[in-house]
PDB file of all heavy atoms in Angstrom:
ATOM      1  N   ALA A 108       1.904 -28.787  27.333  1.00 97.00           N
ATOM      2  CA  ALA A 108       1.837 -27.434  27.912  1.00 97.00           C
ATOM      3  C   ALA A 108       0.485 -27.337  28.563  1.00 97.00           C
ATOM      4  O   ALA A 108      -0.549 -27.950  28.133  1.00 97.00           O
ATOM      5  CB  ALA A 108       2.010 -26.381  26.868  1.00 97.00           C
ATOM      6  N   GLU A 109       0.366 -26.495  29.612  1.00 96.00           N
ATOM      7  CA  GLU A 109      -0.850 -26.231  30.260  1.00 96.00           C
ATOM      8  C   GLU A 109      -0.905 -24.758  30.739  1.00 96.00           C
ATOM      9  O   GLU A 109       0.185 -24.199  31.007  1.00 96.00           O
ATOM     10  CB  GLU A 109      -1.200 -27.215  31.371  1.00 96.00           C
ATOM     11  CG  GLU A 109      -0.171 -27.151  32.507  1.00 96.00           C
ATOM     12  CD  GLU A 109      -0.543 -28.068  33.662  1.00 96.00           C
ATOM     13  OE1 GLU A 109      -1.435 -28.885  33.499  1.00 96.00           O
ATOM     14  OE2 GLU A 109       0.108 -28.010  34.722  1.00 96.00           O
ATOM     15  N   PHE A 110      -2.118 -24.294  30.986  1.00 96.00           N
ATOM     16  CA  PHE A 110      -2.263 -22.947  31.577  1.00 96.00           C
ATOM     17  C   PHE A 110      -3.546 -23.003  32.449  1.00 96.00           C
ATOM     18  O   PHE A 110      -4.636 -22.804  32.004  1.00 96.00           O
ATOM     19  CB  PHE A 110      -2.490 -21.885  30.471  1.00 96.00           C
ATOM     20  CG  PHE A 110      -2.499 -20.459  30.884  1.00 96.00           C
ATOM     21  CD1 PHE A 110      -1.980 -20.132  32.171  1.00 96.00           C
ATOM     22  CD2 PHE A 110      -2.894 -19.485  30.054  1.00 96.00           C
ATOM     23  CE1 PHE A 110      -1.926 -18.748  32.547  1.00 96.00           C
ATOM     24  CE2 PHE A 110      -2.854 -18.095  30.484  1.00 96.00           C
ATOM     25  CZ  PHE A 110      -2.415 -17.810  31.725  1.00 96.00           C
ATOM     26  N   PRO A 111      -3.330 -23.492  33.656  1.00 93.00           N
ATOM     27  CA  PRO A 111      -4.464 -23.680  34.515  1.00 93.00           C
ATOM     28  C   PRO A 111      -5.226 -22.402  34.955  1.00 93.00           C
ATOM     29  O   PRO A 111      -4.718 -21.321  34.722  1.00 93.00           O
ATOM     30  CB  PRO A 111      -3.813 -24.378  35.748  1.00 93.00           C
ATOM     31  CG  PRO A 111      -2.425 -23.928  35.730  1.00 93.00           C
ATOM     32  CD  PRO A 111      -2.065 -23.768  34.314  1.00 93.00           C
ATOM     33  N   LYS A 112      -6.364 -22.630  35.532  1.00 91.00           N
ATOM     34  CA  LYS A 112      -7.135 -21.451  35.913  1.00 91.00           C
ATOM     35  C   LYS A 112      -6.414 -20.635  36.949  1.00 91.00           C
ATOM     36  O   LYS A 112      -6.470 -19.407  36.934  1.00 91.00           O
ATOM     37  CB  LYS A 112      -8.483 -22.023  36.591  1.00 91.00           C
ATOM     38  CG  LYS A 112      -9.461 -20.879  36.908  1.00 91.00           C
ATOM     39  CD  LYS A 112     -10.715 -21.509  37.443  1.00 91.00           C
ATOM     40  CE  LYS A 112     -11.723 -20.391  37.868  1.00 91.00           C
ATOM     41  NZ  LYS A 112     -12.989 -20.991  38.341  1.00 91.00           N
ATOM     42  N   GLU A 113      -5.669 -21.290  37.819  1.00 91.00           N
ATOM     43  CA  GLU A 113      -4.849 -20.533  38.749  1.00 91.00           C
ATOM     44  C   GLU A 113      -3.425 -20.941  38.576  1.00 91.00           C
ATOM     45  O   GLU A 113      -3.153 -22.130  38.404  1.00 91.00           O
ATOM     46  CB  GLU A 113      -5.271 -20.883  40.200  1.00 91.00           C
ATOM     47  CG  GLU A 113      -6.743 -20.632  40.569  1.00 91.00           C
ATOM     48  CD  GLU A 113      -6.991 -19.064  40.609  1.00 91.00           C
ATOM     49  OE1 GLU A 113      -6.042 -18.347  40.847  1.00 91.00           O
ATOM     50  OE2 GLU A 113      -8.183 -18.712  40.455  1.00 91.00           O
ATOM     51  N   GLY A 114      -2.535 -19.975  38.660  1.00 93.00           N
ATOM     52  CA  GLY A 114      -1.104 -20.312  38.615  1.00 93.00           C
ATOM     53  C   GLY A 114      -0.527 -20.091  37.168  1.00 93.00           C
ATOM     54  O   GLY A 114      -1.225 -19.700  36.226  1.00 93.00           O
ATOM     55  N   PRO A 115       0.785 -20.349  37.093  1.00 96.00           N
ATOM     56  CA  PRO A 115       1.437 -20.022  35.845  1.00 96.00           C
ATOM     57  C   PRO A 115       1.225 -21.076  34.728  1.00 96.00           C
ATOM     58  O   PRO A 115       0.636 -22.181  34.991  1.00 96.00           O
ATOM     59  CB  PRO A 115       2.973 -20.037  36.222  1.00 96.00           C
ATOM     60  CG  PRO A 115       2.994 -21.071  37.340  1.00 96.00           C
ATOM     61  CD  PRO A 115       1.687 -20.909  38.059  1.00 96.00           C
ATOM     62  N   SER A 116       1.610 -20.778  33.542  1.00 97.00           N
ATOM     63  CA  SER A 116       1.566 -21.715  32.439  1.00 97.00           C
ATOM     64  C   SER A 116       2.838 -22.576  32.665  1.00 97.00           C
ATOM     65  O   SER A 116       3.888 -22.095  33.037  1.00 97.00           O
ATOM     66  CB  SER A 116       1.627 -20.994  31.109  1.00 97.00           C
ATOM     67  OG  SER A 116       1.766 -21.933  30.012  1.00 97.00           O
ATOM     68  N   ILE A 117       2.672 -23.871  32.277  1.00 98.00           N
ATOM     69  CA  ILE A 117       3.762 -24.804  32.449  1.00 98.00           C
ATOM     70  C   ILE A 117       4.063 -25.437  31.074  1.00 98.00           C
ATOM     71  O   ILE A 117       3.138 -25.887  30.417  1.00 98.00           O
ATOM     72  CB  ILE A 117       3.475 -25.934  33.447  1.00 98.00           C
ATOM     73  CG1 ILE A 117       2.988 -25.332  34.784  1.00 98.00           C
ATOM     74  CG2 ILE A 117       4.637 -26.959  33.584  1.00 98.00           C
ATOM     75  CD1 ILE A 117       4.075 -24.770  35.604  1.00 98.00           C
ATOM     76  N   LEU A 118       5.366 -25.444  30.707  1.00 98.00           N
ATOM     77  CA  LEU A 118       5.821 -26.222  29.572  1.00 98.00           C
ATOM     78  C   LEU A 118       6.613 -27.426  30.183  1.00 98.00           C
ATOM     79  O   LEU A 118       7.549 -27.192  30.888  1.00 98.00           O
ATOM     80  CB  LEU A 118       6.690 -25.368  28.616  1.00 98.00           C
ATOM     81  CG  LEU A 118       7.267 -26.160  27.422  1.00 98.00           C
ATOM     82  CD1 LEU A 118       6.109 -26.501  26.410  1.00 98.00           C
ATOM     83  CD2 LEU A 118       8.237 -25.259  26.660  1.00 98.00           C
ATOM     84  N   ARG A 119       6.172 -28.592  29.840  1.00 98.00           N
ATOM     85  CA  ARG A 119       6.729 -29.813  30.399  1.00 98.00           C
ATOM     86  C   ARG A 119       7.424 -30.622  29.327  1.00 98.00           C
ATOM     87  O   ARG A 119       6.813 -30.866  28.247  1.00 98.00           O
ATOM     88  CB  ARG A 119       5.684 -30.570  31.080  1.00 98.00           C
ATOM     89  CG  ARG A 119       6.170 -31.891  31.772  1.00 98.00           C
ATOM     90  CD  ARG A 119       4.880 -32.619  32.286  1.00 98.00           C
ATOM     91  NE  ARG A 119       5.275 -33.855  33.005  1.00 98.00           N
ATOM     92  CZ  ARG A 119       4.458 -34.822  33.139  1.00 98.00           C
ATOM     93  NH1 ARG A 119       3.135 -34.750  32.728  1.00 98.00           N
ATOM     94  NH2 ARG A 119       4.812 -35.946  33.780  1.00 98.00           N
ATOM     95  N   ILE A 120       8.670 -30.973  29.529  1.00 98.00           N
ATOM     96  CA  ILE A 120       9.408 -31.857  28.580  1.00 98.00           C
ATOM     97  C   ILE A 120       9.841 -33.097  29.347  1.00 98.00           C
ATOM     98  O   ILE A 120      10.559 -33.034  30.324  1.00 98.00           O
ATOM     99  CB  ILE A 120      10.644 -31.124  28.073  1.00 98.00           C
ATOM    100  CG1 ILE A 120      10.291 -29.711  27.528  1.00 98.00           C
ATOM    101  CG2 ILE A 120      11.290 -31.974  26.929  1.00 98.00           C
ATOM    102  CD1 ILE A 120      11.600 -28.891  27.173  1.00 98.00           C
ATOM    103  N   GLN A 121       9.285 -34.227  28.916  1.00 98.00           N
ATOM    104  CA  GLN A 121       9.604 -35.518  29.505  1.00 98.00           C
ATOM    105  C   GLN A 121      10.749 -36.130  28.852  1.00 98.00           C
ATOM    106  O   GLN A 121      10.974 -35.955  27.636  1.00 98.00           O
ATOM    107  CB  GLN A 121       8.389 -36.418  29.516  1.00 98.00           C
ATOM    108  CG  GLN A 121       7.204 -35.908  30.282  1.00 98.00           C
ATOM    109  CD  GLN A 121       5.962 -36.898  30.232  1.00 98.00           C
ATOM    110  OE1 GLN A 121       5.385 -36.962  29.076  1.00 98.00           O
ATOM    111  NE2 GLN A 121       5.670 -37.472  31.266  1.00 98.00           N
ATOM    112  N   GLN A 122      11.509 -36.934  29.612  1.00 98.00           N
ATOM    113  CA  GLN A 122      12.666 -37.707  29.059  1.00 98.00           C
ATOM    114  C   GLN A 122      13.549 -36.793  28.132  1.00 98.00           C
ATOM    115  O   GLN A 122      13.657 -37.160  26.939  1.00 98.00           O
ATOM    116  CB  GLN A 122      12.043 -38.955  28.339  1.00 98.00           C
ATOM    117  CG  GLN A 122      11.360 -39.824  29.293  1.00 98.00           C
ATOM    118  CD  GLN A 122      10.715 -41.038  28.497  1.00 98.00           C
ATOM    119  OE1 GLN A 122      10.120 -40.838  27.479  1.00 98.00           O
ATOM    120  NE2 GLN A 122      10.823 -42.208  29.049  1.00 98.00           N
ATOM    121  N   VAL A 123      14.045 -35.794  28.651  1.00 98.00           N
ATOM    122  CA  VAL A 123      14.791 -34.843  27.833  1.00 98.00           C
ATOM    123  C   VAL A 123      15.982 -35.516  27.115  1.00 98.00           C
ATOM    124  O   VAL A 123      16.589 -36.388  27.636  1.00 98.00           O
ATOM    125  CB  VAL A 123      15.338 -33.589  28.622  1.00 98.00           C
ATOM    126  CG1 VAL A 123      14.088 -32.838  29.160  1.00 98.00           C
ATOM    127  CG2 VAL A 123      16.175 -34.046  29.738  1.00 98.00           C
ATOM    128  N   VAL A 124      16.235 -34.986  25.915  1.00 97.00           N
ATOM    129  CA  VAL A 124      17.395 -35.414  25.132  1.00 97.00           C
ATOM    130  C   VAL A 124      18.219 -34.206  24.849  1.00 97.00           C
ATOM    131  O   VAL A 124      17.792 -33.069  25.051  1.00 97.00           O
ATOM    132  CB  VAL A 124      16.976 -36.076  23.800  1.00 97.00           C
ATOM    133  CG1 VAL A 124      16.124 -37.261  24.116  1.00 97.00           C
ATOM    134  CG2 VAL A 124      16.227 -35.120  22.927  1.00 97.00           C
TER     135      VAL A 124
END
Side-chain angles (χ1 to χ4, degrees):
Chain A
E109 63 176 6
F110 189 14
K112 185 176 180 181
E113 301 291 338
S116 175
I117 306 288
L118 179 67
R119 181 185 180 201
I120 311 172
Q121 296 178 290
Q122 299 176 315
V123 295
V124 300

